[in-house]
């Protein structure tokens, strides 16, 4: 995982990255700053900010080559594009999501076992881009990803996946009971990871629902 939970709890990180980039004149630091912006924009659903930083993430992608967190960062970029496609229907986002998705598949094929869970999450996220995809199959894809992410201790991505399923079921009023279950799982996973401001954000957004976490 490439971002500390404190960054999702309201802690400033841009100043640190900007200072480090200026002092070290490091393009890797600039790349890390852009990627962190992408993640925070994604998690807090700041779609305008996400549209601003995704092209920069693509532009500076090569500067992260060889960095241990490259695969995780590419996963966040893919998820971001799949989310934007699901919202806007613009094929550009589907193409960019699949491009990043293919890179993760290649990493896993070449032996990057730590990216198996993220890859399976992308497989699940891609099902949300298919119109009239049976929800039972969507659930199975996400549950498969959750098992792999849990085994690797990646509660952050697991939380985001549960949140996306909750949003699907609750916003479209498909199954409120199931939606509340996924939302409760997302909140517990964010709490476990330490992203407490994100938990408050979710509780405010869904304050019309019964209390999900004791």
């Amino acid at each position: 995982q490439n971002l500390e939970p404190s960054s999702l709890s309201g802690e400033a990180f841009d100043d640190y990255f900007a200072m480090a980039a200026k002092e070290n004149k490091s393009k890797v630091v600039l790349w890390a700053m852009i990627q962190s912006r992408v993640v925070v924009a994604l998690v807090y659903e700041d779609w305008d900010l996400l549209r601003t930083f995704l092209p920069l993430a693509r532009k500076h992608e090569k500067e992260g080559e060889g960095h241990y967190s490259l695969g995780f960062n590419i996963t966040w970029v893919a998820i971001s594009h799949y989310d934007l496609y699901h919202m806007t229907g613009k094929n550009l986002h589907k193409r960019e999501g699949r491009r990043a998705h293919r890179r993760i598949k290649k990493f896993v094929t070449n032996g990057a076992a730590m990216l198996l869970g993220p890859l399976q999450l992308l497989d699940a996220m891609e099902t949300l881009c298919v119109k009239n995809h049976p929800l039972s199959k969507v659930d199975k894809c996400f549950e498969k990803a959750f098992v792999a992410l849990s085994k690797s201790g990646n509660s952050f991505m697991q939380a985001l996946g549960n949140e996306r399923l909750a949003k699907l079921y609750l916003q479209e009023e498909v199954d409120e009971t199931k939606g509340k279950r996924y939302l409760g799982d997302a909140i517990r996973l964010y709490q476990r990871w330490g992203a407490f401001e994100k938990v408050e954000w979710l509780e405010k957004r869904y304050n019309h629902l019964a209390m999900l976490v004791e």
Side-chain angles (χ1 to χ4, degrees), residues 9 15 24 30 38 40 103 113 116 119 124 129 141 167 171 175:
S9 299
D15 289 344
N24 301 326
L30 176 61
V38 167
V40 174
R103 288 206 68 189
L116 178 60
L119 173 60
C129 298
C141 287
K167 185 177 181 180
Q171 286 194 351
D175 187 333

Side-chain angles (χ1 to χ4, degrees), residues 125-148:
M125 290 292 299
E126 190 176 23
T127 66
L128 297 179
C129 298
V130 180
K131 291 183 178 179
N132 302 318
H133 200 85
L135 288 178
S136 60
K137 291 185 178 180
V138 172
D139 281 350
K140 286 181 181 178
C141 287
F142 273 95
E143 294 295 343
K144 181 181 178 181
F146 294 157
V147 170

